[in-house]
Amino acid sequence: MSELSHRRKSLVLAICCMSLLIVSLDNTVLNVALPSLQRELHTSLSGLQWTIDAYTLVLASLLMLAGSTADRIGRRRVFTIGLVLFTLGSLLCSLAPNLESLIIFRMVQAVGGSMLNPVAMSIITNTFTAPRERARAIGAWGAVVGISMAAGPLVGGLLVDTVGWRSIFWLNLPIGLAALLLTWRYVPESRAPKPRRPDPVGQLLVIGVLGSLTYAIIEAPAAGWTSPLIMSFAGVAALSLTGLLLYEPRRAEPLIDLRFFRSAPFSGATVIAVAGFAGLGGFLFLNTLFLQEVRGLSALRAGLYILPMAAMTFVCAPLSGRLVGSRGPRLPLLVAGVAMTASGVLFAAFGAESSTPLLFTGYVLFGIGFGMVNAPITNTAVSGMPRSQAGVAAAVASTSRQIGQTLGVAVIGAVLAGGVASASYRTGFTDASRPAWWIIAGCGLCVLLVGALTSGHWARGTARRTAERLEEPTVAQATAGSRS
């Protein structure tokens, strides 16, 4: 490998990391700005949930479509369109006159964001083909999440306190434009040899599942869990999920290839992504409201308080990538599960928020856990799968992350809303947050148990057999393709 190829690979990795930075930074910064946004736009707790979940929901719904489309028409082309849409959406968010407009513009951002992360991961997978080299690249990719968590609260807090919440969206503009210019110059075009055909029915069913379920969870505290409206949306989610499970196996080239889930590591990575990012979404949402609404801190001081968690994520993410490359995903997953569970228990059972040393201990533990969990998810999702399906496999992993974060904010927000409905934040927050912290601890325990179960010798055997099946089309699939 020549020096030039090393340099080109480094530039491609840097561009992909820039795209992840603006997507990750956007959510981190927005969390810090929620109280300020609530006061200026006069919104409720559910309104705050929608400013986050409208973005993650659209992102989760379109990630797999973006991954398969990029495999078919060109990864650089889709990546470029994503950068344009995300940057434009960020500009529109900064100009939003009301909550409804902000939510719509966040959805524009999400359409662009759906074309960035899975496509960037596919670009990385096809650029870094050696397993150890790829694991290190993914570790660097994961470290960007730590950078965004470290920079987001500080920079966002400073901007909110000095300029206002609208300025947080300006951060994406120079990074997005720079990444766009560098993509045109340095990122090579690539396609899958045998890309998948579009699956509009599967796409609509995915939107039906995620959209209906999220709406039901967020709006249930106000409308009532057994109200006709909420039960109707829950029914739509259940019917959409049933339809998805029945329809997708009948297609030769489905949006979601359910055969992927015969691989225990892949299935485990999916569950761990949902649990880990649900814990993250709930953790950030809870702490933002606690630090600013209960403790009365400014946005900047709240960002400084969260810094220990961000710093540990930044340190542990590349370490996790190196461990995955040298020893496999088992150790990082076990460490992640133990640390995230301990953090949740510290808040739920020992009232860590009432003591600053315990508060910081909880932040450090969660930062270690989240820093360790990201690289094993990504590496396990794409390793062992045919390279021709790298975009789809990476999109499933990214979708699982966004589903987790969406559900984390929705569930934690619903639990919190039920507890503080008849009290102020200052008087009702501590008691209302106890069940929420137990949920976060449960997410950590899920990471621990599923990680232990799906990272051993038996699990690796299922991954090998699954990869063999994916590479050998069967007569049954051909028959199904003719029917569809």
Side-chain angles (χ1 to χ4, degrees):
M1 189 182 301
S2 66
E3 184 65 30
L4 180 61
S5 62
H6 272 298
R7 182 167 173 265
R8 182 74 171 264
K9 285 185 175 184
S10 298
L11 286 168
V12 170
L13 178 60
I15 294 165
C16 292
C17 287
M18 289 170 71
S19 72
L20 177 63
L21 178 63
I22 57 177
V23 173
S24 301
L25 193 66
D26 189 74
N27 266 338
T28 308
V29 173
L30 182 60
N31 267 280
V32 176
L34 286 179
S36 176
L37 187 151
Q38 183 179 33
R39 287 189 294 270
E40 183 172 327
L41 298 184
H42 309 291
T43 183
S44 62
L45 185 62
S46 64
L48 296 183
Q49 289 173 271
W50 278 118
T51 61
I52 297 174
D53 274 359
Y55 175 84
T56 56
L57 180 61
V58 172
L59 203 62
S61 299
L62 298 181
L63 281 170
M64 285 178 285
L65 175 64
S68 59
T69 302
D71 284 344
R72 184 170 58 254
I73 71 172
R75 294 170 181 128
R76 184 178 72 168
R77 179 180 300 175
V78 172
F79 188 73
T80 300
I81 295 171
L83 285 171
V84 171
L85 285 176
F86 190 89
T87 305
L88 176 62
S90 299
L91 177 61
L92 292 173
C93 285
S94 70
L95 303 174
N98 51 48
L99 178 68
E100 293 75 16
S101 299
L102 178 61
I103 291 173
I104 292 172
F105 297 150
R106 288 279 290 163
M107 295 170 74
V108 174
Q109 270 190 308
V111 174
S114 70
M115 302 178 188
L116 297 181
N117 284 9
V119 181
M121 180 50 60
S122 184
I123 292 171
I124 290 174
T125 303
N126 283 271
T127 301
F128 298 89
T129 54
R132 288 198 176 188
E133 184 183 43
R134 182 172 59 198
R136 292 192 184 97
I138 291 173
W141 164 272
V144 174
V145 178
I147 294 173
S148 70
M149 290 182 68
L154 295 177
V155 177
L158 181 62
L159 288 173
V160 169
D161 283 349
T162 57
V163 184
W165 65 265
R166 297 177 186 279
S167 62
I168 64 175
F169 295 105
W170 300 344
L171 292 173
N172 300 326
L173 304 184
I175 301 174
L177 291 174
L180 183 62
L181 293 174
L182 291 172
T183 298
W184 281 338
R185 183 173 178 83
Y186 293 109
V187 175
E189 185 61 280
S190 64
R191 296 176 178 84
K194 296 180 180 179
R196 295 166 182 260
R197 290 181 296 177
D199 181 9
V201 174
Q203 182 62 60
L204 288 174
L205 290 171
V206 167
I207 294 172
V209 173
L210 299 179
S212 300
L213 180 61
T214 303
Y215 183 91
I217 294 173
I218 290 179
E219 298 299 331
W225 288 95
T226 57
S227 67
L229 177 67
I230 299 305
M231 295 302 292
S232 297
F233 274 92
V236 171
L239 289 174
S240 299
L241 178 59
T242 302
L244 195 67
L245 295 176
L246 293 176
Y247 176 77
E248 290 298 280
R250 296 175 59 83
R251 286 185 57 88
E253 296 176 342
L255 178 69
I256 305 173
D257 194 333
L258 300 181
R259 294 176 301 163
F260 282 10
F261 294 95
R262 295 176 182 174
S263 165
F266 184 87
S267 297
T270 302
V271 173
I272 290 167
V274 172
F277 277 75
L280 174 68
F283 191 96
L284 291 177
F285 192 78
L286 272 178
N287 276 286
T288 295
L289 295 177
F290 168 72
L291 292 173
Q292 296 190 52
E293 299 293 339
V294 179
R295 283 210 168 184
L297 301 180
S298 66
L300 178 58
R301 289 193 64 195
L304 289 171
Y305 264 66
I306 300 175
L307 189 57
M309 179 185 69
M312 294 312 301
T313 300
F314 177 69
V315 170
C316 291
L319 174 61
S320 177
R322 287 194 291 270
L323 286 173
V324 170
S326 60
R327 301 184 59 178
R330 188 177 185 85
L331 180 60
L333 287 175
L334 296 181
V335 172
V338 170
M340 291 177 72
T341 303
S343 176
V345 170
L346 201 61
F347 284 94
F350 298 98
E353 66 269 27
S354 62
S355 165
T356 299
L358 281 179
L359 183 73
F360 286 152
T361 302
Y363 287 173
V364 167
L365 285 172
F366 195 89
I368 292 171
F370 184 71
M372 283 289 180
V373 81
N374 207 23
I377 292 171
T378 305
N379 187 269
T380 304
V382 299
S383 296
M385 295 294 172
R387 283 177 58 194
S388 62
Q389 305 300 338
V392 178
V396 173
S398 295
T399 298
S400 301
R401 290 183 176 91
Q402 298 305 324
I403 290 173
Q405 194 159 351
T406 301
L407 293 177
V409 173
V411 172
I412 297 300
V415 170
L416 192 62
V420 298
S422 59
S424 68
Y425 278 118
R426 290 183 182 274
T427 59
F429 187 94
T430 301
D431 290 338
S433 65
R434 288 285 178 266
W437 282 116
W438 281 118
I439 292 172
I440 292 173
C443 290
L445 185 61
C446 180
V447 171
L448 174 62
L449 297 178
V450 176
L453 180 64
T454 61
S455 58
H457 178 73
W458 164 79
R460 290 192 295 271
T462 65
R464 286 193 299 270
R465 291 190 292 272
T466 300
E468 292 170 1
R469 292 191 188 100
L470 290 171
E471 289 175 338
E472 297 177 4
T474 64
V475 176
Q477 288 174 318
T479 304
S482 64
R483 286 200 303 267
S484 61

